[in-house]
Amino acid sequence: MAGTLHIIGGGMAGLAAAVEAAGAGKHIVLHEAGRACGGRARSYEDRQIGCRIDNGNHLLLSANKTVFRYLAMTGGLDTLTGPREPLFPFVDLAEDARWTLDLSRGRVPWWVFQPHRRVPDMRLVELRSLQKLMSAKEDQTVAECLLPGAFSRRLLEPFAISALNTPCETGSAALLGAVIRESLSLGGEACVPWYARDGLSETLVDPALAHLRVMQAEIRTQSRIGSLDIERGRITALHGPEGSIPLTDDDFVILAVPAPVAASLLDGRVQGFTAPDAFESILNLHFRLAAPPRPLGTFAKSGFMGLVGSIAEWVFLRDDILSVTVSAANRFAEQDPDELARTIWQDVRHACDPVLMEALPDTPPQQRVVWEKRATFAATPEQNRLRPGPATALVNLALAGDWTATGLPATLEGAMRSGVRAVYTLGLRSPS
Ligand SMILES: Cc1cc2nc3c(=O)[nH]c(=O)nc-3n(C[C@H](O)[C@H](O)[C@H](O)COP(=O)(O)OP(=O)(O)OC[C@H]3O[C@@H](n4cnc5c(N)ncnc54)[C@H](O)[C@@H]3O)c2cc1C
């Protein structure tokens, strides 16, 4: 098969598309605007705290089939770490309770009948919320499907905010239902948590780039595509920093850029094109300690802990860094960042001190705040309707990105699935 496949955007969608298409007969050129690939899932040297950090903590579940397939293809699998069991330690700071959600591996949810493995004070009748979410209509919100009680407050609400990056009052129940269908409803085997041991780039980017180079793909960083020529129903040229790149009839394009960039390139030029236009932020605070703390119990085994009754939802421990994630963070945009950091540090102390060998300092240590303003599209029913499929009105263009219609919220799994699907849409490979 002659010709070139141009992939615009070197985030997870673009990289997954490149890995899928490599070896299918087209020359692959990946254009990434930034200095490095990875997009919203990347590691970098941070001068402020003097070490390498991730832009944000990313948690994967064993259910994320496309991500695990990508890691198997690129050789990144053994860079993951986690408890290797469906274990999730939690603390409720408002009600001073601690527990470990310990899911049964198989499909039968034995854990719900064993009080020491489930959410404390939950009632079995509350499990109906799961059914309601999984059968939710397109216009329903998460809040409309949750039955009041400990199961919602201590598990489903934090789970929804993390998975959708959108408050429960406005978040799409159908999207959360899709996540539950692909994870919790399949049993603990599908819910084993994993995260990058050394860094997101070391897991998700570097092995993929090494693999792509072996497959003779061309990776062009600092190559922002600023405009496209469109004639007679196809893209005929790309314009980047090196000038114009004419396309022949054998060339294809996968556009794997964030929604606002795709809109700036295509809006009003490609019939039927729509894209989400409302976004939610994620706040990550990385606290660098004087020495690596020594964790105990399930916190030691997992390396992370869920927080209920706190501004933050998760705290991760990696060596001497404690990293905290605040999802759906638009609601804190007006707050003074220093005050926010001080409040969060007090929550971190209360959450971690009982499960560390030595207590944390009273005052926040060196810290780095990473505020991803447009971390994901707002996963509301209205925004979900604006997500386009991979096929476009242009014969040689397919769309990818976590904001396209993947059926999932904006996640690594959704982003990678969209990249793979774009390759299928252009007919460069077919699903195996
Ligand atoms: C802080 C944070 C925490 C998260 N946590 C999780 C988590 O725990 N689990 C999970 O599954 N997901 C999580 N996500 C979501 C996940 O990171 C994203 O869904 C995924 O990385 C999106 O990938 P993408 O390729 O669709 O988009 P992007 O990562 O945005 O990639 C698009 C790429 O296109 C490039 N680009 C833009 N314009 C141009 C141009 N004109 N020309 C060339 N290149 C261009 C950009 O530089 C970028 O590299 C999190 C996201 C954030 C921000």
Side-chain angles (χ1 to χ4, degrees):
M1 205 192 293
T4 297
L5 169 64
H6 293 275
I7 299 173
I8 308 176
M12 291 308 123
L15 286 172
V19 167
E20 189 67 26
K26 292 263 177 224
H27 177 57
I28 295 173
V29 182
L30 186 139
H31 306 264
E32 164 54 45
R35 283 169 190 273
C37 291
R40 278 170 279 156
R42 64 188 186 281
S43 317
Y44 65 97
E45 294 299 329
D46 189 87
R47 283 205 218 126
Q48 198 167 316
I49 57 170
C51 63
R52 194 167 164 80
I53 54 174
D54 290 340
N55 68 314
N57 303 312
H58 279 63
L59 199 62
L60 286 168
L61 292 180
S62 42
N64 297 151
K65 280 193 200 136
T66 320
V67 179
F68 279 88
R69 179 167 170 269
Y70 166 92
L71 291 173
M73 286 166 87
T74 59
L77 265 184
D78 60 7
T79 64
L80 288 176
T81 190
R84 294 170 193 277
E85 292 173 62
L87 285 182
F88 297 81
F90 275 96
V91 56
D92 183 339
L93 295 176
E95 298 188 354
D96 199 18
R98 282 174 196 276
W99 67 96
T100 294
L101 188 67
D102 178 5
L103 305 176
S104 333
R105 284 240 173 209
R107 280 186 98 118
V108 182
W110 298 115
W111 61 276
V112 301
F113 303 110
Q114 295 173 288
H116 65 284
R117 301 178 70 177
R118 67 189 192 199
V119 177
D121 304 327
M122 69 176 268
R123 294 166 300 134
L124 290 183
V125 65
E126 287 183 69
L127 292 169
R128 272 191 50 221
S129 299
L130 294 175
Q131 209 48 54
K132 285 178 135 202
L133 287 164
M134 286 192 290
S135 56
K137 303 217 165 53
E138 288 305 321
D139 57 351
Q140 277 187 292
T141 64
V142 172
E144 286 166 358
C145 296
L146 297 186
L147 299 180
F151 188 57
S152 289
R153 199 182 80 74
R154 289 180 163 168
L155 184 64
L156 294 184
E157 286 175 15
F159 179 56
I161 290 184
S162 306
L164 299 181
N165 192 33
T166 304
C168 294
E169 294 69 34
T170 53
S172 157
L175 284 177
L176 187 64
V179 177
I180 292 171
R181 256 196 309 279
E182 292 196 11
S183 55
L184 206 55
S185 80
L186 301 178
E189 201 66 61
C191 299
V192 180
W194 294 96
Y195 55 93
R197 183 190 58 214
D198 304 317
L200 288 172
S201 294
E202 285 78 359
T203 292
L204 295 169
V205 182
D206 301 346
L209 293 182
H211 170 79
L212 288 171
R213 289 199 179 99
V214 169
M215 301 300 284
Q216 302 192 329
E218 221 179 298
I219 315 292
R220 298 187 191 168
T221 52
Q222 295 184 283
S223 176
R224 180 182 301 279
I225 301 301
S227 62
L228 315 167
D229 288 349
I230 299 173
E231 284 167 36
R232 295 182 305 279
R234 60 191 311 133
I235 298 186
T236 53
L238 313 177
H239 299 282
E242 292 141 33
S244 166
I245 306 166
L247 267 54
T248 70
D249 286 355
D250 291 327
D251 296 342
F252 290 101
V253 179
I254 292 178
L255 190 61
V257 294
V261 181
S264 74
L265 294 169
L266 303 180
D267 233 358
R269 304 179 74 203
V270 175
Q271 205 189 354
F273 174 83
T274 58
D277 54 8
F279 302 88
E280 262 292 352
S281 52
I282 299 182
L283 176 64
N284 268 265
L285 278 106
H286 303 274
F287 295 102
R288 185 165 190 200
L289 301 160
R294 289 177 295 167
L296 301 163
T298 14
F299 186 37
K301 191 164 190 178
S302 302
F304 65 85
M305 188 171 14
L307 309 179
V308 177
S310 165
I311 291 174
E313 288 87 35
W314 299 101
V315 57
F316 284 75
L317 175 60
R318 198 157 69 203
D319 300 324
D320 55 352
I321 304 276
L322 271 169
S323 292
V324 174
T325 306
V326 183
S327 300
N330 286 1
R331 57 207 157 125
F332 303 112
E334 301 302 315
Q335 284 206 14
D336 171 35
D338 292 334
E339 199 185 310
L340 205 56
R342 277 194 296 275
T343 310
I344 290 175
W345 178 249
Q346 294 317 321
D347 282 357
V348 170
R349 285 182 58 223
H350 289 143
C352 297
D353 274 354
V355 286
L356 292 178
M357 300 261 280
E358 305 87 13
L360 294 168
D362 293 352
T363 49
Q366 271 189 309
Q367 68 202 253
R368 166 52 118 180
V369 179
V370 186
W371 203 309
E372 290 271 6
K373 289 273 170 2
R374 285 179 167 178
T376 68
F377 72 94
T380 63
E382 298 73 31
Q383 291 295 311
N384 194 33
R385 278 194 283 275
L386 296 173
R387 299 168 80 186
T392 68
L394 307 183
V395 288
N396 60 348
L397 173 69
L399 299 176
D402 62 355
W403 56 276
T404 58
T406 63
L408 292 174
T411 53
L412 296 172
E413 174 67 17
M416 289 198 185
R417 218 177 263 189
S418 76
V420 170
R421 220 179 35 173
V423 172
Y424 298 160
T425 300
L426 293 175
L428 304 178
R429 278 206 195 276
S430 32
S432 46

